[in-house]
Amino acid sequence: RPHPAMLRALPRLRALPLAGLLPRLAAAPAASLSLSSAPPLRRLSISRSPPLATTLAPARQLPQRRAFSSGGGEPQVLEVPQMGESITEGTLVAWMKGAGDAVAEDEVVCQIETDKITVDVRAPAAGVIKSVSAEEGETVAVGAPIAMIVYGAEAAAAGGKAEKPAEKPAEAKSKAAAPAAPAAPPPLPAVEAAPATPTYASSVAESGDRRVKMTRMRLRIAERLKSSQNTAAMLTTFNEVDMTALIALRKEFKDGFEAKHGAKLGFMSAFVKAAAVGLMEQPEVNAFIDGDDVVYRDYVDISVAVSTMTGLVVPVIRGCETLDFAGIEKTIADFGVRAKTGKLSIEEMQGGTFTISNGGVFGSLLSTPIINMPQSAILGMHIIQKRPVAVGDKVEIRPMMYLALSYDHRLIDGREAVTFLRRIKVMIEDPRRLLLGIDL
């Protein structure tokens, strides 16, 4: 309800000429009007105050909040990424960053080991890890949350520059009240120490067995190898190859090959190419059994066994029937580097039609390799060793290598297996056949 004084002043305000009032009001933009009950019109007073623009301070510009900024930014969930079509979980083997650590964009936060590869989980943007929700050794499923990260460059900078927390007042007070430590006594004169008595009992007591959980990759390797032995009717045939011509070829052209192609010329490219030729000529060795059917391939994708710290991996060289020596050597070199750093993808280790394993790099003289299912055969290379061999009617010392071909006898007969292995032997002993693509 209006105040009674305002109601009594209304008639006089209506009678007041506006022509004289408006100029006075215009001259005082921030004027304050006060009305009293008696007499209303004469008590009307106008007091000038500074203009509004000078009285009010400029509006403070509020900082615009960017997405993922540290200023009140909400933590975002870091989830276990997709690691392949057939992989649904893995084991978190190591945290590279912990709670409170700053991370850069694409920096590795943790590593998850699967039965095939070790996957690096990377930060999608710069920020600070607020908390982790999975421990090392824990099994984590694809899509499960493993950490909370506050994203933003400001958060990362703040996390990187975090200082040691200030000392609590209570602690400072206690330290101040603590008496000074007495001075250390002067050192005693040096005395020749008696010879230490060997602690044989302690050594025996400390020795013993250690139980270490198998990694996912080792478990998967064990499962696949045993399954191969239980499934395939595995048989191995052997031969030996004279490496004289291939060694001479490599010695003569290795420098020029590396200068032109940027990759070293090794022996593996010759064996891969020879195997590709033999597989196209003996399609049963390149096929596999699927239920009651035999699946033949008109292409050659050779898996090359590479040993790593975590186990054996078999990346696949695609289209070996169309590659030359340079293409094969570049691919093998790239696989070797990325296998040691765990950068191989699952897709690069799937779909091979044949496998070559070179145990000779570790000094193996002879072995019987196990088939990499569902493939039907595997070639084992071994160490090059000088041995006396009959060359014509003479005995000569030649660099020799044993070759072993393990094959699934359910699909491959002895004729095809022996023919395939001898074909490799002939082409390695005369590399001109490989380079020219003809039989000499």
Side-chain angles (χ1 to χ4, degrees), residues 64-413:
Q64 294 182 353
R65 183 173 296 172
R66 299 185 306 171
F68 306 133
S69 78
S70 61
E74 292 295 332
Q76 307 293 322
V77 177
L78 180 65
E79 298 179 347
V80 177
Q82 293 288 337
M83 298 176 288
E85 295 181 0
S86 60
I87 297 178
T88 59
E89 63 180 17
T91 301
L92 201 156
V93 292
W95 278 105
M96 307 304 174
K97 297 288 184 176
D101 291 343
V103 291
E105 183 178 357
D106 204 38
E107 187 175 3
V108 178
V109 177
C110 64
Q111 289 184 330
I112 297 177
E113 183 186 62
T114 70
D115 55 3
K116 297 180 181 179
I117 61 173
T118 299
V119 178
D120 291 335
V121 180
R122 300 177 179 271
V128 173
I129 298 177
K130 183 175 179 62
S131 63
V132 296
S133 55
E135 301 293 335
E136 291 184 359
E138 184 177 338
T139 299
V140 290
V142 172
I146 54 175
M148 301 293 290
I149 302 180
V150 179
Y151 293 109
E154 296 88 350
K161 296 179 181 179
E163 299 179 356
K164 185 178 179 180
E167 190 178 38
K168 296 181 180 180
E171 295 177 359
K173 185 176 180 180
S174 63
K175 288 184 178 180
L188 298 175
V191 179
E192 184 177 359
T197 304
T199 55
Y200 297 110
S202 175
S203 301
V204 173
E206 292 178 359
S207 64
D209 298 332
R210 291 186 302 117
R211 184 180 296 272
V212 180
K213 187 177 180 179
M214 294 177 68
T215 64
R216 281 181 168 268
M217 184 177 292
R218 177 53 57 188
L219 285 170
R220 182 60 174 167
I221 291 172
E223 177 186 344
R224 286 180 58 83
L225 292 179
K226 190 57 183 173
S227 174
S228 177
Q229 285 186 323
N230 295 339
T231 302
M234 200 177 307
L235 189 63
T236 305
T237 183
F238 302 93
N239 214 319
E240 61 179 356
V241 57
D242 187 349
M243 298 290 291
T244 302
L246 187 58
I247 291 175
L249 178 70
R250 178 177 180 271
K251 183 178 180 180
E252 182 177 357
F253 295 107
K254 65 178 182 178
D255 294 334
F257 184 91
E258 185 175 2
K260 181 175 181 179
H261 301 292
K264 294 182 179 180
L265 178 61
F267 299 132
M268 183 63 75
S269 55
F271 280 92
V272 169
K273 192 62 182 178
V277 173
L279 291 170
M280 296 300 289
E281 295 175 354
Q282 301 292 331
E284 291 82 8
V285 184
N286 200 42
F288 72 97
I289 297 176
D290 184 15
D292 295 334
D293 301 327
V294 177
V295 181
Y296 293 89
R297 274 80 69 98
D298 297 329
Y299 57 89
V300 176
D301 292 346
I302 295 182
S303 304
V304 180
V306 178
S307 178
T308 67
M309 295 299 295
T310 56
L312 191 69
V313 295
V314 280
V316 181
I317 305 175
R318 311 285 180 183
C320 295
E321 74 280 6
T322 62
L323 293 178
D324 57 6
F325 279 33
I328 296 172
E329 290 292 354
K330 289 179 181 178
T331 305
I332 294 175
D334 177 60
F335 283 161
V337 172
R338 292 193 290 124
K340 292 179 181 179
T341 57
K343 304 299 182 183
L344 290 175
S345 65
I346 295 178
E347 291 75 14
E348 291 175 312
M349 293 186 285
Q350 294 177 335
T353 65
F354 184 77
T355 298
I356 297 179
S357 176
N358 185 8
V361 297
F362 304 110
S364 174
L365 179 63
L366 192 62
S367 66
T368 56
I370 300 176
I371 298 172
N372 181 22
M373 300 295 287
Q375 299 173 12
S376 298
I378 179 173
L379 175 67
M381 299 168 54
H382 301 90
I383 191 172
I384 300 172
Q385 192 177 60
K386 289 185 177 181
R387 295 196 295 271
V389 294
V391 180
D393 295 333
K394 299 180 180 179
V395 175
E396 297 184 7
I397 304 298
R398 293 291 183 95
M400 306 296 292
M401 176 192 288
Y402 287 119
L403 297 179
L405 179 72
S406 295
Y407 59 97
D408 190 349
H409 213 337
R410 298 178 302 165
L411 175 61
I412 304 171
D413 293 331

